[in-house]
Structure formats: C-alpha cells, structure tokens
C-alpha cells in the first residue's frame, strides 16, 4: 500500500472542496461576522464523536506511518463533516502544521484516578482529580513556564507532508490558538469539589492560585508571540 497515494487522494478531494463556491460563500459569512457586518449568525458544530460515525468506512485510517496517519485522520474527518453535516464550516485552503513547542510546566501536574467507558475507541473516561494545591505551601511550588520552539522537529514534519502532497494542498505553519481554559486547568489540579468548597471557605487561597494561573497564561502567550 502506497501511503502517499492515500494522502494525495484525500488532499485532492479536500482542495476541490476548499475551492468550491459553497466554501467561498461560508468564508464570506464568517468574514461578515468578524467585520461586525453580519449577514446572519454562522452555525458551527464541534465536539464531534467521530468514533461513533464511521458507518461507511470513510473514517477508517489506512496509513501506518505516524506522520501520515495524523494527516490522514485530519483530512478524513474534515471531508466526512463536509459531506454529512457541514453547517457553516469552512475548509482553509491549506494543511496546517502547528509549530511544535515544549514547556517546562508550572511546577505541579494533575494526579487522578480514571474509570474508562466500555468503548475503548471513545477515549473518554471519568476522572477523579487529587488536590495538588491544597495549602499555601503547595501554591509556592508553582512557577512560570518556559516555552521553547522546536524548529527542527516542526520543519521535519512540514517537509515530510510537503513532499507527500504539498503540490496538491499547500502546507502552512500555524501557531498556537491562544485558548485559555483556567477553570479546566484549576479543576484538574485540584478537583471540582475542593475548588467549590474553597470558593466559599478559603477565598484568599483561591485568589492566590488564580492570580498565578492567569499570570502564567499571560506569560505563555507572550512567549508564544
């Protein structure tokens, strides 16, 4: 099996869809919203349980090479959604390669017990997180993360995909989306129960933790720039 041929076929289908009048129209709708000249609200679908939707085999991955398999997964899911439930999704006219970055972390990490659901392909589990920031002494363990860009690994990934199908679908380096999820970070470090109790009983302790987490996120974004 020529895995590059698999990717080239998917890339060609993706490119044709990205160049379609439907995609151009949806891009116009998105730009109008962002320019505060909305034609109508755009409708987007996210958090899709793809593992339950493979009724026709079109989501089945055939590549074994890890890099190719990652690209195949991205393209198959985009094309599947485009065909069956696009709403106002848009297809960017390129394949994104997110820059690979490393972080020193913030001094503590989550500790948890998990209970997995029966469907091993779902990747979904119930989580019980152990409190890593129960005391002021625990909070002192926190430190600002240091972010470094791994250019060599990023360009190696970029070049492999460009060689495989870049003549059909352009390969573009992209940065971090800048998404900040303080509540998720906080509850995975402490557990929801501890957070809700301390919001009432130890508000100063909670403020100290949140001030640090917000400062760390700002520092991370500055470094990503």
């Amino acid at each position: 099996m020529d895995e590059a041929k698999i990717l080239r076929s998917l890339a060609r289908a993706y490119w044709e869809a990205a160049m379609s009048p439907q995609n151009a129209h949806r891009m116009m709708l998105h730009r109008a919203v962002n320019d505060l000249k909305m034609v109508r609200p755009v409708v987007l679908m996210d958090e899709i349980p793809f593992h339950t939707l493979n009724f026709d085999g079109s989501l089945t991955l055939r590549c074994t090479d890890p890099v190719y398999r990652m690209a195949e997964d991205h393209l198959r899911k985009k094309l599947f959604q485009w065909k069956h439930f696009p709403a106002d999704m848009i297809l960017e006219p390129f394949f994104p390669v997110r820059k690979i970055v490393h972080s020193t972390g913030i001094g503590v990490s989550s500790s948890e017990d998990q209970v997995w659901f029966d469907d091993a392909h779902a990747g979904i589990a119930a989580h019980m997180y152990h409190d890593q920031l129960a005391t002021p002494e625990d909070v002192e363990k926190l430190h600002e993360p240091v972010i470094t860009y791994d250019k060599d690994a990023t360009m190696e990934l970029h070049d492999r995909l460009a060689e495989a199908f870049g003549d059909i679908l352009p390969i573009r380096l992209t940065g971090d989306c800048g998404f900040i999820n303080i509540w998720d970070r906080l509850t995975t470090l402490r557990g929801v129960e501890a957070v809700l109790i301390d919001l009432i009983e130890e508000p100063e302790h909670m403020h100290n933790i949140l001030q640090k987490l917000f400062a760390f996120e700002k520092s991370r974004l500055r470094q990503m720039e």
Side-chain angles (χ1 to χ4, degrees):
M1 177 176 59
D2 189 334
E3 297 189 355
K5 286 185 177 180
I6 295 173
L7 292 183
R8 292 179 68 80
S9 176
L10 293 169
R12 189 171 290 107
Y14 181 100
W15 177 255
E16 291 174 357
M19 293 296 104
S20 68
Q22 298 97 316
N23 201 47
H25 176 68
R26 292 171 190 161
M27 285 185 171
M28 179 276 293
L29 293 176
H30 282 250
R31 283 194 294 267
V33 171
N34 291 335
D35 292 341
L36 302 182
K37 300 176 181 178
M38 184 174 65
V39 177
R40 63 167 176 78
V42 294
V43 179
L44 301 175
M45 299 181 67
D46 203 355
E47 302 293 334
I48 300 168
F50 282 107
H51 66 284
T52 69
L53 302 178
N54 192 20
F55 66 93
D56 61 355
S58 61
L59 290 170
T60 301
L61 301 181
R62 294 172 171 80
C63 294
T64 58
D65 178 281
V67 172
Y68 285 3
R69 194 173 179 85
M70 172 275 297
E72 181 189 12
D73 184 64
H74 176 86
L75 293 170
R76 286 191 184 279
K77 286 177 178 176
K78 289 292 186 181
L79 290 169
F80 188 91
Q81 183 175 358
W82 177 267
K83 179 179 180 180
H84 295 290
F85 46 95
D88 291 321
M89 73 177 292
I90 61 173
L91 297 178
E92 298 284 5
F94 57 85
F95 186 94
V97 173
R98 181 174 291 186
K99 293 181 178 180
I100 299 172
V101 299
H102 304 293
S103 172
T104 60
I106 61 172
V108 299
S109 57
S110 63
S111 173
E112 61 180 297
D113 296 324
Q114 297 180 347
V115 177
W116 290 89
F117 290 89
D118 291 337
D119 186 352
H121 299 289
I124 300 172
H127 305 261
M128 184 179 76
Y129 293 100
H130 307 301
D131 194 352
Q132 305 300 302
L133 299 171
T135 68
E137 290 74 24
D138 293 332
V139 178
E140 291 303 313
K141 301 174 185 176
L142 295 171
H143 62 72
E144 186 174 302
V146 176
I147 307 297
T148 54
Y149 169 41
D150 192 337
K151 183 176 181 180
D152 291 341
T154 300
M155 294 311 301
E156 180 180 357
L157 176 59
H158 173 279
D159 293 347
R160 285 205 62 197
L161 295 177
E163 182 180 2
F165 60 88
D167 57 322
I168 300 172
L169 178 62
I171 312 299
R172 180 180 297 181
L173 294 180
T174 61
D176 188 83
C177 65
F179 182 70
I180 296 177
N181 54 348
I182 294 295
W183 173 259
D184 291 346
R185 171 63 72 90
L186 177 63
T187 53
T188 57
L189 290 174
R190 301 207 61 200
V192 174
E193 183 177 356
V195 168
L196 293 178
I197 290 174
D198 277 357
L199 282 172
I200 298 173
E201 297 186 354
E202 299 290 344
E204 184 176 350
H205 181 58
M206 286 294 298
H207 289 163
N208 290 338
I209 295 172
L210 287 171
Q211 285 176 348
K212 285 182 177 289
L213 293 181
F214 271 108
F216 295 165
E217 286 298 324
K218 291 170 63 176
S219 173
R220 183 182 67 86
L221 292 176
R222 284 196 302 268
Q223 293 179 68
M224 295 293 270
E225 290 179 342

